[in-house]
Every structure is written in structure tokens, then in C-alpha cells.
Amino acid sequence: MKKYMILLIAALVFCCTGIQAGEFGDLLSRLDSRDFSAEKDVALKTDGPYKGETSNPHEDTIMFKARAELFGKIMEARLSADLKAQVNAFLADAVQQDIKSDTKSWLIRQFPYTATAKEVSVLVPFLKNSDKMLVDAAASALGKIALPEAKSALEANSDVPAAKAALITFNNTVPPLQPAETVKPLALENTSKADFDEWMKGYSKLSDQEKVCTIAAITARQDTQYRNIVREAIASDSAELKKAGFLALEKLATKEDVDFLVGKLADEHDLALRLCGFIVADGFDDALLAKFNQAADPKQFLDLATILINRSVDIRKDVFAKTTAENCPARIELLKQIVKICTPADVPELLASVLLLDRKDLNTGENLIAGCCNGDASPIIKLLGKYPPAVIYPIMCRTGGNAAKAELSRGLDSSDPALLEAAFRSLAQWTDALFADKMMAIITSEKYPEGLKISILRAYIRVMSLPDDKIGIKITNDQRLANLKNAFNLSTRLDEKRWVLSRLAPNRSIQSFEFVLECAADPDLAEAAYSAIVDHAHDTAFRNTYAKQVLPALNLVIEKTKNKKLVERANLYKGRMM
């Protein structure tokens, strides 16, 4: 009988050894297989940037793959008692083997993740080892094992400098090395319904931080049963709880929360407005729409319209009913929102609304219509007849495109006084230099009023200084400069002369720079010229190419200008030339 018992015990030992061998196999030999020659000149073997800048450049070698494999087992072992025992047994055995010091040191440093009191006794002898690398590794590991046995071992060996240092770390570091997800409230996401309900019974006694984590767990569990807790958090005085509540309600809200969220627009306007745009819930749009249709307050109407538009709910008819009415307090704000979902087919309603705007908002309104047309003014031109050219042409010219070009040409050649006047006045709105010749003809004519000529002159300066990809005509830099200098000479007011100087830098050349220097001698134009000098010097290539001309000019600006910011910029560019 004794013989059979001995055989049975031997078989069990063999099986256990087999399990461990099957689990870890040749892992130790691979861990100890580092070949520095294989890592040499690794940067030369890569086609892209050096891998070491973002990750381990040697991660594909046998040894580093083995380290990653073992570390994966260690992470798993933290959640499994059986695997933890196997990992600890492997580590305890491995560090006793005849392997390289750097391999052994690395293995020792892995003990804190899974160590028990038993493993502490494995590490203690290394504190007296002759290899300083192993002494430091053992002391560091013991300093991270939150067990009294580890502390006692360090205290008993405090004559070892590394152990003494690790003891300081131990006394100042209390959190154990364990997965945070196994501790409540962080573990609540995956706990049972019964455990979660039990935890929630004590919710009122939790700290604000614990409540924040609990609300996050409610969100992750999609537990609408506790939606009232989320709403209480939003209503609290704690900024952290309020933030957590809003984040949770984005995922948990139902149509029943619409009244609550609309109420929050009064004191948490921006956050509630943003949140309502993201909520996905059955019937939520319908509930918002019902509130929208009942809204009597202009501010609430605008807020609800903004939310519905951001949710791509088609409320154009309802909004246009407001914006085309005589009395609409938030007309321009409503138009700014509704244009997000408008199409060119909505131009008639948009125009009817824009014509009711206050004068200060008219420019913005016309731009909204132009933006809605996407570069095709056809829907605007179709309204000629219903509205006079004086209304249609400015918006048409802001929009641009072939249809607008053809209609504006027709207006400029027309014998109809009303159409011709509208074309002339709208010419200043045209987007490129296509009609530059027509503009110059008006500017140089004696038969047009001075106000119109100034408006066209400013438009001419604007379009003539556009970059090549926007100017709309073929023109050289020399021709462009000549045209701008001509506009400068035709200007009867200082405003337009200064406007020319401010528009030279985008197409800078040494000739434009010399022109600016000439203008700097005129006291009335000096400040505009100083600004233009600095704008020219902003370009590094220009600054370095024409250093002999630029440096004295910057010194002139620094000496003469009263604009402190201009002096700072001039000094900056001057410093970069030294």
C-alpha cells in the first residue's frame, strides 16, 4: 500500500510540474536570450523614422517578446489566485537559476505585482548579493510590496543603502499593487445587480469623489433606474458632481427628461444646449418639438430651435413663420441657426426675413443668403421682379458664380437707370477682379457721385490685392503693383491711400517695399507705411534676400513709430536677421 501511495504522490508532483512547464515552457530561456549584436544599428534597418522615438525599437527580438508574454501572464495573475501561484512559483525558481544579471534583475522587479509573504523570503537574500544590480532590484521590489513582511525585511537590512532608500519609499507609498477595478466604487460597473443595489443604499453617505465614480458606473451599466440620482447630481452645488451628472444624462436621458433639461437652460445654458444636441432616445425629438411649439418666450424659442436644428430636425417652416413676421426679437440669431439646414430652395424665405432686419444686421443677413447658395446666385436672380435690382444685386454679387457674372454684366450694360445704378452700387460687393476694368472706368469718370466712386475704389483696391488663386484674372505681380499705385494716386482721401499700403504685403516684392519706404516720408502716411514695412519683413525669405534694404527700414520703424506692438514685431524680425 505504501508503495502505491509513493507512486501516487510522484505522479501528482509530475502532473503539477507538467502544468507549470506547459504554462511557461521555454519562457526562461527566451527571457535570457538577449543578443546585443542583433540590436546594433537597428535605426539603419527601418524604412521610416527611428522607431525608438515612439516605442521600443527592439520589441520584435526574442527576449523582448518573452518579456511581453510574461508581463501579460502577470497582469492576468492579479485576477486569478491559481495563475498567481503559478507565476510566483516561476519567478521564485527563475531567480535562483544561473542566468544573466540583467535578466535576473528584470525578473526580480516583477515580484511586486503578485508577491505574497512567501515571495518576500525569496527576495531578502539578494539584498546581500555581491552584484549591485541585483541588490538595487531586490530593494526596489521590496519597497513596492505593501506587506509588513517586506517592511520588516527592509528594516532588518537598513545598513544596505538601497534597502534604506526603499524603506523611505515604502513608508511614503501605501496603495497596494492591485487592479483598481477590483475595488468599489470603480468595480461597480461589473458587479451584480444585487451588489449594486446594496451599494446604492448608502449613496447619500458617499464622498463627492465616490459619488462621481458611482454615477460613472450607472452610466456604464445603462441603469435608468437611478436616473434620479444623475439629475440630483446636476442640481447639486458640486462642480464635479454637476459635470458627472451631465455626462451621465447624455447616455441615460429619455423623453421624460426634456422638461428637466429645458429648465436647465436658464442656469446651465451652454452645457444643457450642447447636451441636448447629443442625446439619442426614443421620442426625444418629438418631446423637444412639443416644447418648441409651446414656447412663448423668444429666448426659449431660440434655444429650442438651436437644439432641434443641431439635431437635424426640420423646423424651417416654424422658424420662417417667426422670422418673416413683423415682430421677431431674435430674428438674426434665428437666421444664423436655421441657415445650417437650409438649401437654395429656401432663399425666398431667407430674403423675406433678411429684409426685415435692422440695418446693423443687414450685412450679416445678406452673407447668410450668399453662403446658402454655395456659389450659385441663380435662386437669388430668380427673385428679380418680386424685388427690385437694388435688393437682389448686392446679395447676388456676394454670392458670385457664372449666373451672377452674367446678370451683373447685363446690369452694367443696361440703359435702365434703376438697373444700372443697382449694378454700379453692387459692383463693390463682387468677389474678385473680373470687373476691375469696369471699376476703374467708374473711378475715373466725372459723371458719377463721389460716394459711389470711393466705394468702387475701395473695392478695386481689395480685389486687385487678392492672391493669384483668388483674383480671378491673369496678372503679374508688377502689373498688380502698378494698378495699386494707380489707385493710390487716384485716391483723394488718406483712408484709401492707407488702405493701399495695408494691402501690399500679401504680394510683396522689392518694388512694393521701395514704394512703402517712399510713403514713410509722408507724415500723414507714416504709421501705415511703418506697418507695411513690418508686414513685408514678416516673410523670412524676403527678409533674408533683401536684408540690406529691410534692416535699415526696421530700424526706422523702431525709432519713429508710436505703436508698441509694431516695435515688438520689428525687433523680433530684426533679431532673426542677426
Side-chain angles (χ1 to χ4, degrees):
M1 184 70 181
K2 186 182 288 185
K3 179 180 177 182
Y4 288 118
M5 184 62 70
I6 292 170
L7 288 171
L8 179 60
I9 291 171
L12 288 171
V13 170
F14 177 79
C15 289
C16 290
T17 305
I19 290 172
Q20 184 169 327
E23 186 71 29
F24 295 94
D26 65 343
L27 185 56
L28 182 58
S29 64
R30 287 185 282 127
L31 285 167
D32 198 39
S33 68
R34 188 166 193 176
D35 180 4
F36 285 95
S37 64
E39 298 173 11
K40 186 178 180 182
D41 298 329
V42 68
L44 301 177
K45 299 176 183 178
T46 58
D47 295 328
Y50 178 46
K51 196 175 182 182
E53 293 175 359
T54 55
S55 61
N56 181 359
H58 312 300
E59 63 185 6
D60 293 329
T61 60
I62 293 173
M63 185 273 289
F64 278 105
K65 282 184 176 180
R67 283 190 180 186
E69 181 183 334
L70 177 58
F71 195 71
K73 292 181 185 295
I74 290 171
M75 293 298 102
E76 290 181 42
R78 293 162 70 191
L79 301 173
S80 167
D82 290 341
L83 187 52
K84 181 185 288 188
Q86 291 182 36
V87 166
N88 284 339
F90 172 79
L91 290 173
D93 179 66
V95 296
Q96 304 302 329
Q97 303 302 314
D98 183 18
I99 55 178
K100 297 169 187 170
S101 289
D102 63 318
T103 304
K104 192 173 291 189
S105 172
W106 185 84
L107 287 166
I108 288 171
R109 292 178 185 276
Q110 309 314 305
F111 272 77
Y113 294 106
T114 57
T116 66
K118 181 180 177 183
E119 281 66 54
V120 171
S121 62
V122 176
L123 295 174
V124 172
F126 287 103
L127 293 174
K128 301 295 186 180
N129 198 282
S130 59
D131 189 333
K132 188 176 183 302
M133 182 188 291
L134 300 183
V135 174
D136 290 346
S140 175
L142 287 166
K144 294 175 182 175
I145 298 173
L147 294 172
E149 291 83 357
K151 183 178 182 181
S152 298
L154 290 171
E155 289 173 337
N157 292 275
S158 59
D159 58 317
V160 178
K164 185 177 181 180
L167 188 60
I168 295 172
T169 303
F170 188 100
N171 290 329
N172 292 331
T173 309
V174 285
L177 284 166
Q178 59 175 313
E181 291 78 8
T182 63
V183 181
K184 292 179 181 176
L186 294 177
L188 288 172
E189 178 183 345
N190 299 312
T191 194
S192 67
K193 181 75 168 70
D195 282 349
F196 191 78
D197 290 341
E198 187 62 31
W199 171 270
M200 291 304 295
K201 289 178 182 177
Y203 177 82
S204 61
K205 298 177 181 178
L206 298 176
S207 68
D208 280 358
Q209 187 56 43
E210 288 172 325
K211 286 179 178 179
V212 167
C213 293
T214 301
I215 290 170
I218 292 172
T219 308
R221 294 169 69 93
Q222 292 288 294
D223 198 337
T224 55
Q225 174 188 344
Y226 294 106
R227 213 168 74 254
N228 62 311
I229 295 290
V230 172
R231 288 170 61 159
E232 286 173 12
I234 293 174
S236 74
D237 294 329
S238 166
E240 288 299 314
L241 277 177
K242 198 184 294 286
K243 180 180 177 182
F246 272 113
L247 289 172
L249 200 59
E250 181 183 336
K251 305 296 182 185
L252 299 175
T254 68
K255 62 182 180 181
E256 281 77 27
D257 293 305
V258 165
D259 286 343
F260 172 78
L261 287 167
V262 171
K264 280 291 157 189
L265 287 168
D267 54 348
E268 294 289 343
H269 180 269
D270 292 347
L271 199 53
L273 198 72
R274 179 182 178 277
L275 179 66
C276 287
F278 289 110
I279 291 170
V280 178
D282 290 339
F284 197 80
D285 284 348
D286 292 336
L288 279 172
L289 202 54
K291 293 289 290 183
F292 171 74
N293 290 327
Q294 296 166 9
D297 177 58
K299 180 69 170 65
Q300 190 179 79
F301 183 88
L302 173 61
D303 286 340
L304 287 166
T306 302
I307 291 168
L308 287 163
I309 290 165
N310 289 341
R311 295 177 65 86
S312 298
V313 178
D314 189 357
I315 55 169
R316 288 175 293 177
K317 182 178 178 181
D318 306 274
V319 170
F320 285 138
K322 292 275 187 182
T323 59
T324 55
E326 285 293 332
N327 185 21
C328 180
R331 197 187 319 271
I332 187 62
E333 298 304 325
L334 282 169
L335 288 174
K336 286 178 183 178
Q337 295 303 321
I338 200 62
V339 78
K340 296 175 184 176
I341 58 172
C342 282
T343 70
D346 297 307
V347 165
E349 288 77 15
L350 284 170
L351 183 54
S353 304
V354 165
L355 292 177
L356 293 170
L357 287 171
D358 293 336
R359 188 175 183 82
K360 63 182 177 63
D361 295 324
L362 197 58
N363 190 57
T364 302
E366 290 182 354
N367 281 334
L368 291 176
I369 296 175
C372 181
C373 290
N374 299 316
D376 179 11
S378 300
I380 302 168
I381 296 167
K382 286 179 181 177
L383 295 175
L384 275 170
K386 182 176 181 180
Y387 299 101
V391 169
I392 298 300
Y393 269 39
I395 306 172
M396 175 191 79
C397 288
R398 288 176 190 271
T399 305
N402 291 331
K405 173 186 171 183
E407 180 58 34
L408 182 58
S409 296
R410 185 179 76 87
L412 291 170
D413 294 334
S414 174
S415 57
D416 181 343
L419 191 59
L420 188 60
E421 183 181 357
F424 281 161
R425 294 193 177 279
S426 303
L427 195 56
Q429 308 293 336
W430 192 256
T431 54
D432 58 32
L434 198 63
F435 292 99
D437 291 342
K438 290 276 189 184
M439 290 179 176
M440 186 51 66
I442 295 172
I443 295 164
T444 55
S445 174
E446 295 293 332
K447 63 180 181 180
Y448 299 111
E450 191 64 22
L452 173 63
K453 290 166 68 173
I454 290 173
S455 174
I456 298 296
L457 177 61
R458 293 184 68 83
Y460 181 87
I461 296 168
R462 172 179 59 81
V463 298
M464 195 51 62
S465 58
L466 290 171
D468 289 339
D469 61 333
K470 298 238 178 95
I471 197 167
I473 59 173
K474 289 184 178 181
I475 189 171
T476 65
N477 255 10
D478 290 342
Q479 290 172 326
R480 193 193 323 253
L481 178 61
N483 289 341
L484 287 170
K485 290 172 76 172
N486 185 39
F488 179 91
N489 293 328
L490 289 170
S491 300
T492 57
R493 305 189 316 165
L494 288 173
D495 285 349
E496 281 67 54
K497 291 180 183 289
R498 291 167 181 159
W499 179 232
V500 170
L501 293 175
S502 72
R503 302 289 295 187
L504 292 174
N507 302 287
R508 59 179 63 81
S509 66
I510 190 59
Q511 289 77 20
S512 64
F513 189 71
E514 289 170 348
F515 174 63
V516 169
L517 286 175
E518 291 173 15
C519 295
D522 185 338
D524 292 328
L525 298 174
E527 283 299 324
Y530 297 153
S531 181
I533 288 170
V534 176
D535 287 341
H536 275 72
H538 173 79
D539 185 271
T540 303
F542 181 86
R543 191 170 64 235
N544 293 336
T545 303
Y546 302 106
K548 289 182 179 180
Q549 293 93 329
V550 172
L551 189 56
L554 289 175
N555 286 331
L556 175 69
V557 172
I558 294 167
E559 179 188 347
K560 297 289 187 180
T561 186
K562 298 175 183 178
N563 187 327
K564 291 182 180 180
K565 289 186 177 180
L566 211 55
V567 172
E568 288 176 7
R569 288 181 63 200
N571 276 316
L572 174 66
Y573 300 145
K574 181 181 173 182
R576 291 176 180 175
M577 295 173 67
M578 297 301 185

